Amino acid sequence: MDTADDTRPGTPPTGNAERVNLLGLTRTGLEDYFQARGERPFRAVQLLKWIHQQRVSDFSQMTNLSKDLRERLGREAQVLLPEIVSTHKSIDGTIKWLVRVGSNNCIEMVFIPDAPRGTLCISSQVGCALNCTFCSTARQGFNRNLGSAEIIAQVWLARKLLEQDGNARRAITNIVLMGMGEPLLNFDNVVDALELMLEDNAHGFARRRVTLSTAGVVPKIDALRQRCPVSLAVSLHAPNDTLRDQLVPLNKHYPIRDLLAACRRYVQDDAREKVTFEYVLLDGINDSKAHARELATLLADVPAKVNLIPFNPFPMSGYKRSADGAIDDFRDVLLAKRIVTITRKTRGDDIDAACGQLAGKVQPKSRRMQLRKSRQPTPPDPVSVTLPTEQLQS
Ligand code: SAH
């Protein structure tokens, strides 16, 4: 297998800059690629099947292509996969892989078996720009977007590695974009990768079995609905703007009212569909029964499911996990208001694979981040969003 070592910001891996990486091209992208070279467009489907279904990265093995075409592809193109740096297995069966994307950058992906399901959690960016105060990825700052090839490569690699493990129960049935990064701030690359997850000739996942989780980039929620309406999860974490402004600073750009309106639009065409609202429970911060009642009122007219996430601690987070009793009380208030609510099981915490613990190995990019690392373990101040403004516009 080839490895990627020279990836530049915002581009897919290019082992050899002269050769196009076909891994991240959608069906349309491949059709354009072949048409531009005087080949018939149906080659795109053949390539998709070889690359994503057979998981073959060597053109010489693609036996239903002519010898000439195989040789030409060998000269002009490549199927370039990132390198797995390490594998960590939890006692509960969860597996975390550290994946190298460029010389100093790693991302993490996690497989969570929960028979009959097997969920793969993948990353969309190296680091994250959103500064949610309870998330360890935020502490690294934002490094760069992953290319579509680097995003779909996670699905490709996990399927291949689980297959090699030879355990049929380890099939991936669901994919969640809940790893590192904010997927809607890497919109085009994420949508291309989603199309490859759904495409029958590639990975063939049902739309509802792929979930994108966002902190709430409102215009991009509408854009996703137009382009590729997979299941939507929204990281809410607070029932009012005052508290949410502190925990999820993106809320200052897109307050709860606008966010919930976008959520209603997202599911308006399908009466059975619901948005999943994630709510991380932080001891003494957002976990009282009064908060639960406020949340129930807020969600009364939104087709909603609530996922309560016990906080996963990391060094110097400044937060504590809510007591089990408080989590149950919070859930019971929502259930009494007829809101479908589940408490997410914590998985893989012995290997730091739980929600919000994915860290990769991003080099600190600025003194600000180094200072933040050495800070005392007090609850972090609300930090303003430091995104390039164009990332926040529709
Ligand atoms: N940026 C996206 C996806 C990444 S975070 C988003 O915000 O949704 C995936 C989920 O893990 C989010 O709901 C996030 O709020 C939650 N999370 C982050 N840090 C956590 C922590 N320390 N403990 C528990 N959940 C956490």
Side-chain angles (χ1 to χ4, degrees), residues 165-368:
D165 247 15
N167 185 338
R169 286 188 307 137
R170 295 186 159 232
I172 297 169
T173 59
N174 295 66
I175 297 176
V176 293
L177 277 87
M178 291 185 187
M180 296 167 69
E182 169 48 54
L184 292 186
L185 290 178
N186 182 14
F187 189 79
D188 290 336
N189 293 336
V190 162
V191 167
D192 280 358
L194 288 174
E195 282 180 12
L196 287 167
M197 289 172 215
L198 304 191
E199 161 73 47
D200 283 342
N201 298 296
H203 293 279
F205 284 90
R207 195 172 62 77
R208 282 163 182 273
R209 290 185 177 271
V210 177
T211 301
L212 181 147
S213 177
T214 177
V217 189
V218 166
K220 298 294 183 190
I221 292 177
D222 288 311
L224 185 68
R225 179 171 152 242
Q226 303 293 333
R227 289 275 304 275
C228 198
V230 293
S231 294
L232 182 69
V234 169
S235 293
L236 194 59
H237 308 314
N240 59 62
D241 283 324
T242 312
L243 186 51
R244 195 164 192 268
D245 280 353
Q246 290 174 32
L247 299 178
V248 183
L250 182 69
N251 195 65
K252 292 175 199 154
H253 293 266
Y254 305 116
I256 290 177
R257 188 194 151 109
D258 297 352
L259 177 57
L260 295 186
C263 291
R264 272 187 226 100
R265 290 193 293 275
Y266 198 84
V267 293
Q268 72 189 7
D269 297 332
D270 184 346
R272 290 164 308 162
E273 208 164 347
K274 289 182 162 54
V275 175
T276 300
F277 290 93
E278 296 155 286
Y279 195 104
V280 61
L281 285 157
L282 305 165
D283 183 41
I285 306 279
N286 65 353
D287 64 343
S288 71
K289 285 190 192 178
H291 288 123
R293 282 192 292 271
E294 205 181 347
L295 181 62
T297 307
L298 199 64
L299 297 181
D301 62 348
V302 185
K305 286 186 280 198
V306 174
N307 250 348
L308 299 177
I309 314 175
F311 172 64
N312 294 308
F314 53 90
M316 302 208 295
S317 73
Y319 292 114
K320 283 199 302 202
R321 178 179 294 188
S322 304
D324 288 348
I327 297 176
D328 290 348
D329 289 349
F330 197 99
R331 181 201 56 204
D332 291 344
V333 170
L334 296 175
L335 288 175
K337 302 277 184 189
R338 298 185 176 281
I339 296 176
V340 179
T341 307
I342 60 149
T343 304
R344 202 182 279 173
K345 275 189 271 179
T346 297
R347 299 290 304 267
D349 49 356
D350 54 330
I351 54 166
D352 284 347
C355 288
Q357 293 187 320
L358 303 187
K361 273 192 184 159
V362 182
Q363 300 292 314
K365 291 210 87 183
S366 68
R367 197 161 162 267
R368 178 175 69 86

Side-chain angles (χ1 to χ4, degrees), residues 2 14-16 19-23 59 73 76-80:
D2 285 321
T14 48
N16 173 340
R19 293 194 283 149
V20 183
N21 186 6
L22 301 188
L23 180 66
F59 298 117
L73 286 172
E76 297 176 3
Q78 59 191 331
V79 178
L80 187 64

